[in-house]
Amino acid sequence: MLSKVINYGLKLIKSAKISLKLTIVYAVMFSLVLLILNASILYGIKYYLYSQANKQIEDVNTLVLNNIKSRNENLNLSDKEMISGVPSKQNVSIRILQGKNKVLNQSSEFNYNIKIEEPFNKTIKFKENDKHLVYKNLKLETIKYGLVYIQIVKDMDNEYDFMKILFVLMAIADFIGMIVSVILGYSISKKMLEPIDEITIAADNISINNLKERIAVNGPDDELKRLGNTFNNMIDRLQGAFDRQIQFVSDASHELRTPIAVIQGYANLLDRWGKDDRSALEKSIYAIKLETSNMADLVEKLLFIAKGNSEGQHINKKQFLLKDLICEVLSESKIIDHSHIITSSRNDNVFIVADYNMMKQMLRILIDNSIKFTPKQGRIDINSESVNKTVKITVSDSGIGIPKGEIESIFERFYTVDKSRFKEKGGTGLGLSIAKLIVEMHKGTINVESEEGFGTKITVILNI
């Protein structure tokens, strides 16, 4: 039955609010501290009172023995003066016996049934009928009375009454303190946890169509304020990512709409005239093949970016000589393009650990970009240089350059400096975005230096 009650109580606590849990923990800890503190106080007082009782008994012991010694020749143990110095107001009383039965002298307050037995000359605590006593038995050999027993008793009832009253007062104070701690603890914890309620409300209000909700962060710079700031920053990042996703989908749809429209137009042309007009047939087939190739290239690039952003892109890293890769790309570029001067003025012998195909793709993108925007007979230079524990790859050209205000934007997806001119050159505006993604997947950096009318230099730095 008890275990069921405990389990039920634990379930209630687990399902309760954090503020209530904190209040319960605080109240339990506060109660334990009070309990330990009060127990320590009561024990200390009890120890002090018994120490005082022992001292009083020792004082009476010394007093009686001195009286006996001083009256050795005229010793009269029945004389009341023998025990006149015993402090009765301190509830100390004495009894003197000849043998174990004959009472020679005793205090008027002495009404205790204490056996005369060993140990002698030792202070002993004793409880009899709800009476708390401290007593001491003495055994003394005298010439006149023979063997004499002396009993000194300290009645601790007043001290115990004081401790009972003190205990009741402490219990009442503890109870009031616990009630106050529960009320204050609950109100304070609830006040302190208000930012969490605000986060909950804000999280409930946030949806795909509403990313503008934010938490009003006020108060001291504590963990809850930092939590609120973190939550707001997270929503800012989510909103930015969502906005970029919407823009990306919009741009991708726009880029796909044109080739689809072209294919549809030539398909209609084929349907009308292609059967009989050989020229229209060839022209339509060529245009459809070209636009299909452009669409395939666009879809492939979109898939690459999507995999890279979701960390689903597989990187097959291996060690290879960067010089060999650059020479391979340089040779292929010269075969493909005969209208530009493509050179490599410096190509250090340095090994790197990277994905060979991705590095080749990145270099092809940078070179193709330079080819598109460099006039015929212009120079394109590919270099590699080992610097400390890094390698610096540069692709520079003598092309038309990029306006300063647009350098920061060229790595954005579908971004083109001059859209009409870019369409004439061909492309999707995704090349540099893919190049940057490849570099970032290899923990490197990519930078652009350009001056309009004088050319562009793109620098990639990778860790060796």
Side-chain angles (χ1 to χ4, degrees), residues 7-18 20-21 24:
N7 290 331
Y8 181 72
L10 290 175
K11 286 182 179 178
L12 286 178
I13 292 173
K14 287 181 180 179
S15 61
K17 292 183 178 180
I18 295 178
L20 183 59
K21 290 179 182 179
I24 292 173

Side-chain angles (χ1 to χ4, degrees), residues 63-129:
L63 175 66
V64 172
L65 290 179
N66 287 338
N67 286 339
I68 291 174
K69 287 179 181 179
S70 63
R71 303 179 185 185
N72 193 25
E73 297 178 356
N74 300 317
L75 183 61
N76 183 7
L77 294 178
S78 300
D79 189 359
K80 291 295 181 181
E81 290 185 1
M82 290 292 300
I83 59 175
S84 60
V86 176
S88 59
K89 291 184 179 180
Q90 298 179 359
N91 292 331
V92 179
S93 55
I94 187 171
R95 181 169 68 174
I96 302 174
L97 300 93
Q98 187 177 18
K100 291 188 178 182
N101 298 315
K102 186 178 180 181
V103 177
L104 296 177
N105 204 345
Q106 71 176 19
S107 303
S108 58
E109 299 86 5
F110 197 100
N111 57 352
Y112 312 109
N113 184 21
I114 299 175
K115 294 181 180 179
I116 299 175
E117 58 186 8
E118 293 185 352
F120 294 102
N121 203 30
K122 183 177 180 181
T123 304
I124 300 172
K125 297 176 184 178
F126 176 72
K127 183 179 179 182
E128 180 188 55
N129 297 329

Side-chain angles (χ1 to χ4, degrees), residues 153-320:
V153 180
K154 164 68 176 178
D155 192 332
M156 300 292 292
D157 281 353
N158 289 344
E159 284 78 0
Y160 266 87
D161 289 340
F162 168 74
M163 292 181 66
K164 287 177 182 177
I165 294 171
L166 182 61
F167 175 79
V168 171
L169 292 175
M170 283 185 171
I172 294 172
D174 290 350
F175 179 75
I176 295 173
M178 287 174 60
I179 297 298
V180 172
S181 68
V182 168
I183 296 172
L184 288 178
Y186 183 75
S187 60
I188 292 172
S189 60
K190 192 173 181 180
K191 182 70 175 176
M192 291 177 64
L193 294 175
E194 278 183 358
I196 294 180
D197 291 334
E198 294 177 2
I199 291 173
T200 304
I201 295 171
D204 287 338
N205 292 332
I206 288 172
S207 65
I208 292 177
N209 298 320
N210 179 25
L211 288 174
K212 296 181 180 179
E213 189 74 23
R214 296 295 184 273
I215 299 170
V217 181
N218 300 311
D221 186 18
D222 55 11
E223 292 81 359
L224 292 177
K225 185 174 182 179
R226 289 195 291 273
L227 176 62
N229 287 326
T230 302
F231 182 84
N232 288 339
N233 293 335
M234 180 191 70
I235 299 303
D236 289 339
R237 291 193 297 272
L238 284 175
Q239 185 173 14
F242 188 68
D243 291 341
R244 288 192 298 272
Q245 182 185 14
I246 293 175
Q247 185 64 42
F248 179 73
V249 172
S250 176
D251 292 340
S253 301
H254 181 269
E255 293 294 327
L256 288 169
R257 190 181 296 116
T258 301
I260 289 173
V262 172
I263 292 172
Q264 188 176 19
Y266 278 103
N268 291 332
L269 180 63
L270 281 173
D271 186 47
R272 291 178 184 178
W273 312 105
K275 299 174 184 177
D276 302 319
D277 190 340
R278 183 72 181 177
S279 175
L281 176 63
E282 292 179 355
K283 182 179 180 181
S284 298
I285 291 174
Y286 174 78
I288 289 172
K289 287 173 67 177
L290 179 62
E291 293 302 329
T292 303
S293 175
N294 290 338
M295 284 179 63
D297 180 59
L298 174 61
V299 170
E300 184 179 349
K301 289 179 177 178
L302 290 173
L303 288 174
F304 185 92
I305 292 174
K307 287 182 180 179
N309 288 340
S310 64
E311 298 183 356
Q313 187 73 258
H314 177 67
I315 303 178
N316 183 24
K317 287 187 176 182
K318 63 179 181 181
Q319 188 180 56
F320 60 89

Side-chain angles (χ1 to χ4, degrees), residues 336-348:
I336 295 170
D337 181 71
H338 300 282
S339 60
H340 295 89
I341 303 171
I342 305 175
T343 60
S344 178
S345 57
R346 177 172 181 175
N347 204 355
D348 290 353

Side-chain angles (χ1 to χ4, degrees), residues 302-366:
L302 290 173
L303 288 174
F304 185 92
I305 292 174
K307 287 182 180 179
N309 288 340
S310 64
E311 298 183 356
Q313 187 73 258
H314 177 67
I315 303 178
N316 183 24
K317 287 187 176 182
K318 63 179 181 181
Q319 188 180 56
F320 60 89
L321 190 63
L322 180 62
K323 181 179 181 179
D324 292 343
L325 172 61
I326 292 177
C327 289
E328 179 182 340
V329 173
L330 185 65
S331 177
E332 292 176 356
S333 299
K334 288 180 178 180
I335 293 172
I336 295 170
D337 181 71
H338 300 282
S339 60
H340 295 89
I341 303 171
I342 305 175
T343 60
S344 178
S345 57
R346 177 172 181 175
N347 204 355
D348 290 353
N349 281 308
V350 56
F351 284 93
I352 64 170
V353 178
D355 189 303
Y356 189 90
N357 292 327
M358 284 190 181
M359 287 291 106
K360 185 175 181 180
Q361 182 183 6
M362 182 264 294
L363 288 174
R364 286 295 319 155
I365 290 170
L366 298 182

